[in-house]
Amino acid sequence: MTIQTVSTNKSYGGVQGVYRHASQATRTDMVFSVYVPPHADGAKLPVVWYLSGLTCTHANVTEKGEFRKACAELGLIFVAPDTSPRGPDVPGDANNAYDFGLGAGFYVDATQEPFARNYRMWSYVTDELPKLVAENFPVDAKRQSVMGHSMGGHGALTVALRNPHRYRAASAFAPIVAPSLVPWGIKALTGYLGPNKDTWRSHDTVALIEDGAKFSGFLVDVGEADNFLKEQLKPELLEAACTKASIPLTLRRQAGYDHSYYFISTFMSDHLHWHAERLKG
């Protein structure tokens, strides 16, 4: 699989790149970003996957996430995919809403028309893109972790729970932990997977834990001033599920912080240091 370089910039001694490729999963061109820290020739480095939230592309965290300094110090590759397929022939929300369709792939493989052809973001972020990155960057495939924000927090936690032997760590900022129970998730899962709620459970963090999925532990930050906290995020449901299943969870409620990248960038270094501890060796 070949990639096209869109741009590269030196940062903290490493290289921040943006790349494009023709995706077999989504049948569209896809753009993603990769930061490779300074490293010795021939070295293989651990990789942190970052899944973004509603309306985002790779660019939001790349430009606002403030991750490069920590990644350079810790020796971490940082990969940020897009959140959905894009292109003139890709269907979107019928009413052009922000929470479904373009920019809102929800990290599932759609089964419903007209979305099933292109909206295969689960396959893209768990299979196709990891193979592509491993072929083109100095990645140690045995040392991977995943993190995300909001819709991407949902993606990161579900990816980890369904692939516990691939990822050594998983964390999230303001994740949608129970999409089957909140407006954003109900709209997306109905539209992509259909009305049978049993098919939603494999893409619902709380439901996966209730059904027996395990992981080594999670770090989750939420902002107490987040406008979506009570209606869409419901971190207390994750807390209860992890407690019942004996899954270690560090849930930090940050006073005064909202849902934005001001919040994410403030605690990004904390998360990357937490990941690095689990990616050593």
Side-chain angles (χ1 to χ4, degrees), residues 76-107:
L76 302 175
I77 292 176
F78 190 97
V79 183
D82 202 346
T83 55
S84 79
R86 299 180 192 272
D89 298 324
V90 176
D93 185 83
N95 297 313
N96 294 318
Y98 74 93
D99 56 358
F100 186 77
L102 300 177
F106 251 81
Y107 305 102

Side-chain angles (χ1 to χ4, degrees), residues 177-209:
V177 301
S180 300
L181 303 177
V182 301
W184 278 342
I186 292 169
K187 179 177 180 178
L189 297 178
T190 301
Y192 294 134
L193 302 179
N196 182 355
K197 293 185 177 181
D198 288 340
T199 67
W200 300 3
R201 296 188 69 82
S202 62
H203 291 287
D204 182 307
T205 298
V206 169
L208 280 166
I209 293 171

